Amino acid sequence: MNLALWIVAGLLAVVALTGGITKAFVPREKLAAVRGGGWTAGIGAGSIKALGILELLAAIGLILPAVVGIAPVLVPVTAVCWAVLMVGAMITHGRRGEALYVVVNLVYLVLAALVAWGRFGPGSFAG
């Protein structure tokens, strides 16, 4: 169970890191030109960068607290926050009729829920 939770958290961290770097450092105009980036047209550049920073923090929060052993409870808390972020992403893509991206975000949400459940429960770092 522990290994599976580490793998899932690692995969989510890679997704969050990739998305965070893209949103925080790529100009909005370039994001809008990429497939699936049309959602950026109605959002300010600062908001997109803020989402990118949140995703970068999620990438850190899914791994680092457990690795260093300082406040490992932040791992499941971060997973819950990631799940909430994915709900927002699903709503945004759903409003735009982008069913594929809704499904992708749903998969990320389920994986985050698995990490949260596992790290709050049977695979907790407290035991």
Side-chain angles (χ1 to χ4, degrees):
M1 170 72 107
N2 188 45
L3 179 61
L5 290 172
W6 272 107
I7 291 170
V8 173
L11 289 172
L12 285 175
V14 168
V15 168
L17 183 65
T18 304
I21 289 171
T22 303
K23 289 177 188 79
F25 301 112
V26 174
R28 186 176 82 172
E29 296 75 26
K30 286 190 179 182
L31 285 175
V34 176
R35 182 174 180 234
W39 65 271
T40 60
I43 298 175
S47 296
I48 295 169
K49 288 194 184 307
L51 284 172
I53 291 168
L54 286 174
E55 290 185 12
L56 291 173
L57 290 172
I60 293 167
L62 285 166
I63 301 296
L64 192 62
V67 169
V68 298
I70 298 174
V73 72
L74 289 177
V75 172
V77 169
T78 301
V80 168
C81 293
W82 179 260
V84 170
L85 190 64
M86 291 302 102
V87 168
M90 289 169 60
I91 291 169
T92 299
H93 289 296
R95 287 181 179 165
R96 295 183 46 80
E98 299 169 339
L100 174 64
Y101 295 108
V102 172
V103 172
V104 169
N105 293 135
L106 179 62
V107 170
Y108 296 153
L109 184 148
V110 169
L111 293 175
L114 174 69
V115 171
W117 168 80
R119 290 303 183 200
F120 274 132
S124 132
F125 294 113

